[in-house]
Amino acid sequence: MRSTTYILPVIVLALAGLLSSIFIVDEREKALVLQFGRLVDIKDEPGLAFKIPLIQEVIRYDNRILSRDIPQLQVTPSDDRRLEVNAFARYRINDVEQFRQATGAGGDQAIEVAGRRLDSILRSETREVLGTVSSNDILSSDRAALMLRIRNGAIAEARSLGIEVIDVRLKRTDLPNANLAATFSRMQAEREREAADEIARGNEAAQRVRAQADRTRVEITSDARRQAEIIRGEADAQRNAIFAEAYGADQEFFEFYRSLNAYRGALTGNNTSMVMSPDSEFFNYLKNEDGK
């Protein structure tokens, strides 16, 4: 009975020591075994692992891809149009020993310390890369290449933290509220200038069309008048030829015809008055055979 009293506590202590020496490494994490603060082992494979109870401790780190939102920052591109940029990064811990040395902590506290240092790296790289291009490049399809440059620059600096930067993305790129009104005014002025240029070019083209139309009208009118004068001249020539031929054929009849035309033109209306000598040749064909 007395021996059982001593053996049972020993078994309990041995069982407790055995249980405290066993720990499980999850597939989503990596573990460091520290002995009095000094690294003695790295457990990066999932499964059961062992440590010395009371002497050694286990520090766990997340082995999954982590996300970090970068606080909003202002950048000044090469065209001096200030922009507000929101970005985020994807990263993972690839060297837990170096990560431990860089952060000096474990678990969530280490993640937070590393996240703040990663924020500083990403802000610096973002300002450096976006400061070398124009705002139009940042807002265009070229931003994919810019994000790749930011990521590549951050990868080299993040190695000292034991971190592998997988991706960096720009979520939003906006103008500060203070600059929106000025930007809209500038855009409106540019559109008004473009509209004025279009109107001026349209007026210039319309003036050319009008000038060409006026020139064509003058040319057509002049040509028509020239042709009309030619035709009128030819008609007068033909008329004179006919008159000449008629005069040559019967001179007396021609004179009689001309006198009748003169009478028709002179003796019109009911109140025609003429003061002429009675023996004027004008009345030759109005006299009878006796000359009266």
Side-chain angles (χ1 to χ4, degrees), residues 101-283:
Q101 294 174 357
T103 59
D108 294 339
Q109 183 180 359
I111 297 295
E112 184 59 30
V113 172
R116 288 196 296 268
R117 296 182 61 179
L118 182 61
D119 289 346
S120 178
I121 293 172
L122 293 173
R123 285 198 298 268
S124 176
E125 288 295 326
T126 301
R127 286 196 174 99
E128 180 178 352
V129 171
L130 300 187
T132 61
V133 297
S134 67
S135 57
N136 291 332
D137 294 331
I138 299 173
L139 299 174
S140 69
S141 58
D142 295 337
R143 65 187 298 166
L146 298 177
M147 291 186 290
L148 185 61
R149 288 175 54 188
I150 296 172
R151 189 205 70 172
N152 293 339
I155 286 176
E157 294 193 34
R159 288 197 186 101
S160 62
L161 300 176
I163 290 175
E164 176 191 4
V165 178
I166 298 174
D167 192 16
V168 176
R169 294 287 171 177
L170 301 178
K171 294 193 296 184
R172 293 188 60 183
T173 307
D174 300 323
L175 291 169
N177 293 330
N179 296 349
L180 285 176
T183 301
F184 290 153
S185 298
R186 184 168 59 252
M187 292 174 63
Q188 183 178 1
E190 290 176 356
R191 298 300 179 270
E192 289 176 351
R193 179 182 58 79
E194 292 176 359
D197 291 343
E198 290 293 334
I199 292 173
R201 285 193 290 269
N203 290 335
E204 181 181 357
Q207 191 65 29
R208 287 198 300 269
V209 172
R210 292 192 191 98
Q212 183 64 34
D214 291 341
R215 178 179 177 182
T216 303
R217 177 179 59 83
V218 171
E219 291 177 351
I220 293 174
T221 304
S222 299
D223 185 65
R225 288 175 179 172
R226 181 181 62 82
Q227 294 182 14
E229 291 297 330
I230 292 173
I231 294 172
R232 188 178 293 109
E234 293 175 351
D236 289 342
Q238 292 179 4
R239 183 193 63 180
N240 293 334
I242 293 171
F243 283 161
E245 183 180 359
Y247 182 80
D250 191 342
Q251 182 178 356
E252 183 179 358
F253 175 77
F254 183 74
E255 291 179 354
F256 174 72
Y257 177 74
R258 289 185 61 187
S259 297
L260 291 180
N261 286 335
Y263 295 155
R264 183 184 298 111
L267 302 176
T268 58
N270 298 323
N271 297 319
T272 301
S273 299
M274 301 179 67
V275 179
M276 299 180 67
S277 174
D279 55 354
S280 173
E281 293 182 357
F282 184 77
F283 297 109

